Amino acid sequence: MAVEKYDIVIVGAGPVGLMLSTCLARWGYKIKHIDNRAEPTPTGRADGIQPRSLDLLRNMGLKRKIMSHDPAKVYEVAFWDPNSKGIHRTGTWASCPRFIDARYPFTTLLHQGLIERVFIEDIEKNGVKIQRPWTITGFKNDGKDPNYPVEVSIAHVDGTLSEAVRTKYLFSGEGAKSFVRDQLGIGILYKDPISHVWGVMDGVVRTDFPDIKMKCTIHSDAGSIMVIPRENNMVRLYIQIASSTDADWNPRKTATVEEVQQHAKEILKPYTISWDRVEWYSVYPIGQGIAERYTLDERVFMGGDACHTHSPKAGQGMNTAFLDAVNLAWKMHHVESGFAPRSILSTYESERKLIAESLLDFDARYSKLFSARIPSAGEVAGASADQPAEENEFVKTFKASCEFTSGYGVAYLPNAINWGAEHPAQHPLFLPHEKGTKLRTGRTLIPATVTRVVDANVVHLEQEIPLNGSYRLYLFAGNPSKTRTALHDLATHASAPSSFYSIFAHKDTSADRYHERHNPHTSFLSLCTIFNSVRCIVDIDAMLPAVFARYRDHVYADDVWDQRVPDAKAAAHAKIGFDEERGGVVVVRPDGYVGCVVRLEEGRGTCEALNAYFGVVTGRKLGDERAAL
Amino acid sequence: MAVEKYDIVIVGAGPVGLMLSTCLARWGYKIKHIDNRAEPTPTGRADGIQPRSLDLLRNMGLKRKIMSHDPAKVYEVAFWDPNSKGIHRTGTWASCPRFIDARYPFTTLLHQGLIERVFIEDIEKNGVKIQRPWTITGFKNDGKDPNYPVEVSIAHVDGTLSEAVRTKYLFSGEGAKSFVRDQLGIGILYKDPISHVWGVMDGVVRTDFPDIKMKCTIHSDAGSIMVIPRENNMVRLYIQIASSTDADWNPRKTATVEEVQQHAKEILKPYTISWDRVEWYSVYPIGQGIAERYTLDERVFMGGDACHTHSPKAGQGMNTAFLDAVNLAWKMHHVESGFAPRSILSTYESERKLIAESLLDFDARYSKLFSARIPSAGEVAGASADQPAEENEFVKTFKASCEFTSGYGVAYLPNAINWGAEHPAQHPLFLPHEKGTKLRTGRTLIPATVTRVVDANVVHLEQEIPLNGSYRLYLFAGNPSKTRTALHDLATHASAPSSFYSIFAHKDTSADRYHERHNPHTSFLSLCTIFNSVRCIVDIDAMLPAVFARYRDHVYADDVWDQRVPDAKAAAHAKIGFDEERGGVVVVRPDGYVGCVVRLEEGRGTCEALNAYFGVVTGRKLGDERAAL
């Protein structure tokens, strides 16, 4: 019997595995997805969705389903410190402060199982069924079949059934205990020698503590606690049970529900608290660890907790997992579609490991400070009991880290896909951050509200192209009367068969693509045009060359006022830092990060610069001799 | 065998019946709901949800489910008139222009069956199953059982089964052909002698007509058409097939799909159109009719199309049906809960019939103008072909009617529940529109964005109390340091056993209401307090008397900037027209319309005015002798 062949085998149906599976299933890949649990997460575990992750979920059309569970939303964090009466609030701080231009400036709290089910439903709609409870028992990149080089053995957890399959890729989303990582012999580097044992409890409480519906970090003379509101009127409490800095450190130290509740009661004094019910309780040790490698051969990959473990308190686990998966998904898709050389896969580790390192650095500092006992006011000579003291280190670290924890601080360094001064593609029309655009390559597009021309809907520009695996080309077309020639020149040169725009054009030109909104011309990219004009005078066919007018559902008027640039006539242009008359071009990677920014000018230059960038990205020679410089 | 007894028998499961059933099922009533169709609407029919209706659906927690079907949204309407080349756009106009302060300034288009299913799911969750296909065969308000005075006979449409039940109320949501209305001998008044036959077609088209995703009204030399975008890339076309003003008027005139398509092709010239598929097609005669009465005995009621029929083009049918039902639902609920005298039921007809009359007036004017042939430019001496002519009557009527068609123009006249100068309750602290508040009784509350104190969530104040059948008391508490005494005085007087606040207090004081957010004290009202203050300094227990602090989930900080009142410190106060320091009190009816507005002052005056208003509303003597004046 022939061995079954797959594009990918995914092990583990937690956040990282589900996100990868969702993307690849939508894009038509053949997937074997297994998980060693009989059911999705029933209660507890990760629960924080950061603002940037919510953008991503919306871009996938999954936000509304998640919101239908009425999650708690955290807009502010309250800081409580000890004083002579017990504890007192020293201040609050926005969870995603206004200096961050976020559509959803809050953290969304919902139990992981409900989030998993939203993904599972989507995956099943695309014909993939997660095989449970099955586990991986072995794998080998033996190259026996060059198209499906990896053999993977899997088995039912009770050992009664087993299966061997061949695959192009194997992905471990197994969590911190990764069979794949162990087999590969990849070690975990522990960034911080300090380990902690944490207790976490979800339940419904009654209390006179006034901030019970806020995220709070509470330091008292009796210990520290973190309060996180949850859906269904629940509250999550994180309590540290032991730390390797304790005199009697024991990594196996534990505590009963009652002990943790008693501890919480001590910490919260003078307020009272009691529990109506406890939905979930767990004790677990945490160390800040990071895998030395995310892949050895660019066939067998790992992501999520298999690569990085840290404390749950910054609410980053699920979010980092999502972004690991999306980063890998589109790169695999581009390699398998012939849009990119295999070498692009190396950027998965280089981009995502750096993020994990930043996360661990932050987490180590934050956890250490969180665990540190803060002297109560009574102990501080001369301090008045209810006078807010100088901000302590903990609050300072929290505030300084908001951009990072919201997800918007993620910044991929310059490489083949994130243009920079050292990029192999060089052209005078590349527009770096230093020369005027407010965008930075390797970061997300700045959000902007515009009016869609065809139906006058007021829309979020950054959400208009769904996560479809395509590059996103934004033509900020400025004043149509001034950019007319530039647009036509770009269209002319982009129409050359060897250009970035045409080289991956659909082969099957006889197919009916009349109703295709996002990829009428090629699956390699989607295109939006934004005019500095009021909507009602935009005449798509008169103002745009036919090749761009074809993306008529993606033509926008930059005519919506924005509080952040109150004096701008064309707010989207202004927010990005483009001349409102002259416009410019932004290339965004399929995962939403800026690839490069190019000036829009008459002549062939704009197309040349784009050919040069995409030439590197795709590993192809694009444009004619002159265009390639 | 004892006859089964119900609180209400509802006949018909279209928009009006479903909305009534949804409300009453949520509030715990025993319902017999029948419909003579075997299934909910499969395709076509009503599809427009106006901005005000969307507010209502959100208030019921149903908006997200409706939006999950990705309906089309109409932000603008385009007007097309004949010219020498065929047709040309003369202008566009916002569907819900900016002078209307709407959260959702667009019309939502979704086929009626999907909307019905959202309601049916909710009804079933509350234990009511619609009995299909069953029909009403007779009824009689015979008073044999004073508690259940109406006997209703129903039968399976195939006649094999029948049932007789007794009920407190009978409601006909049967549509234009109402058995109940016929039995009651209630006539239909035809407001407009002109009748029309309309063709309506839903389908997927391909066309080069640029506004195919907009709502358009098109007048050409070949006739008139209305274009309405739909979900799933569909387009609805309304075409008039015959009018009683035609020389050869025949109310039974019809047309095939192909004839209507051919007609559309003629009208749209010079543009082309063809159909990929037609999902639904129907031809029906329309007259502007209104029932003489909505009830004879305040036991047997009618609503929706059973009471008023008109053309579909203003997209008002379903919206008027929803508001009929909500208007009746809460009044029945208050009568049955002992919160209101039976006489309140008379306001159902007086309030809703007036709205229907306004709708019919509008529709008659609009339809007549829509059907009228507009001379093409070539026929108008001296007119330049592409020069927008003076706005014609049709466009003027459309623009003038935006407030009405958006749903925000609904204005109930002063009566027992809408305070006015002639209201039996008189007190110097009542604050009418003429004396400074921007609110008008009988209209919706002005929307305002505020910060909820307990969890720092930024919320829509007008949505914070769900449609729970309770009055909504908004204490705009101004500057807490200036209103402290006024709030305490109000609390003291409101705590008197005979006050509006206490008279319907929960009898069962031993019940555990710790987790009750909206009705901890009474089902008669819910209470919100809004301070002119930044959130972080609001201390609920210190700033509010205990009786109001109990509604702690409904305490808000008026600290969110609003573009409509850019200079206000406290935007919600300012939008309502309250002094930002002194505040004021707004009473909103359970269906969201303002009942009365009262000044917030020290002493017993504020409570006296509220007692006076609620005394009339409840038919009780409230407050002590002095307080009642």
Side-chain angles (χ1 to χ4, degrees), chain A residues 30-77:
Chain A
K30 189 176 172 193
I31 300 168
K32 167 74 87 179
H33 195 160
I34 64 169
D35 191 87
N36 61 13
R37 301 171 297 167
E39 298 289 340
T41 306
T43 53
R45 301 186 66 165
D47 59 2
I49 301 175
Q50 298 301 338
R52 158 66 191 143
S53 304
L54 205 54
D55 289 339
L56 172 63
L57 292 169
R58 175 162 166 211
N59 201 229
M60 302 175 73
L62 301 178
K63 172 172 168 277
R64 199 178 274 141
K65 281 187 184 156
I66 284 173
M67 288 300 175
S68 73
H69 293 290
D70 288 323
K73 295 177 187 172
V74 168
Y75 279 77
E76 289 188 24
V77 179

Side-chain angles (χ1 to χ4, degrees), chain A residues 337-358:
Chain A
S337 302
F339 296 158
R342 293 200 67 80
S343 60
I344 200 177
L345 292 171
S346 72
T347 64
Y348 168 62
E349 179 179 299
S350 61
E351 291 191 336
R352 295 305 302 168
K353 193 156 178 279
L354 194 68
I355 301 302
E357 280 164 5
S358 309

Side-chain angles (χ1 to χ4, degrees), chain B residues 276-290:
Chain B
D276 279 10
R277 65 185 179 91
V278 172
E279 179 170 286
W280 182 65
Y281 174 66
S282 178
V283 172
Y284 52 98
I286 288 292
Q288 278 96 11
I290 191 164

